[in-house]
Amino acid sequence: MLSKLVKEHQVRTSRLREENEIKRKVALSSVGTATVEMLDAVNGGVADIFNNQKKIEAESRNLQVQTQRFSKQSAQWLSLVNNFNESLKEIGDIENWGKTIENDMTSIARTLDFAAKQATSE
């Protein structure tokens, strides 16, 4: 009878070990699946963030290029405006010079007329 109890105990123990091993394998498999699912969820968010970051960097480079173009264009416009202002100043100077010469010539003509009248009257 004792040997029968020992054998039954050994069989039950062996069965429990097998069931525990099966449950351990199922638990490990479930943990592995859960881990993979959680990593996929986290990595999906990280991938979205990474893609957004790449888009932002591309837009930033594009904005920098456009800013440089605008800066060059503004410098060209400023140069054109400065040249135009200089031309206007030169036109004003030429006009002033012309008026000065005209006044001088008028003054010389009057003086010559006066001198001619004085010479004829004497």
Side-chain angles (χ1 to χ4, degrees):
M1 178 157 146
L2 186 58
S3 75
K4 186 178 177 186
L5 284 175
V6 170
K7 282 185 181 185
E8 285 177 7
H9 175 70
Q10 287 175 346
V11 168
R12 260 189 277 133
T13 305
S14 174
R15 225 180 287 141
L16 283 174
R17 282 186 191 142
E18 288 174 5
E19 288 176 6
N20 283 341
E21 184 64 26
I22 291 170
K23 287 179 182 178
R24 186 181 69 79
K25 287 179 182 178
V26 169
L28 285 176
S29 175
S30 296
V31 167
T33 303
T35 302
V36 167
E37 292 296 323
M38 286 192 301
L39 283 175
D40 286 346
V42 169
N43 286 340
V46 170
D48 289 342
I49 291 170
F50 181 73
N51 287 333
N52 288 341
Q53 182 180 1
K54 287 174 76 175
K55 288 177 185 176
I56 289 171
E57 288 173 355
E59 288 295 323
S60 175
R61 284 190 295 271
N62 187 20
L63 180 61
Q64 185 177 14
V65 167
Q66 288 179 359
T67 302
Q68 288 174 347
R69 284 183 191 158
F70 179 72
S71 177
K72 287 178 183 177
Q73 190 175 28
S74 296
Q76 289 173 346
W77 289 345
L78 185 59
S79 175
L80 287 173
V81 168
N82 285 337
N83 289 340
F84 182 70
N85 280 339
E86 287 297 318
S87 296
L88 287 177
K89 285 180 186 178
E90 288 175 6
I91 289 172
D93 289 345
I94 290 171
E95 184 179 354
N96 189 28
W97 175 75
K99 284 181 183 178
T100 303
I101 296 244
E102 183 181 359
N103 289 337
D104 287 348
M105 295 303 278
T106 304
S107 177
I108 290 171
R110 284 186 192 148
T111 304
L112 288 174
D113 282 343
F114 180 74
K117 285 181 185 177
Q118 288 295 328
T120 54
S121 63
E122 287 182 9

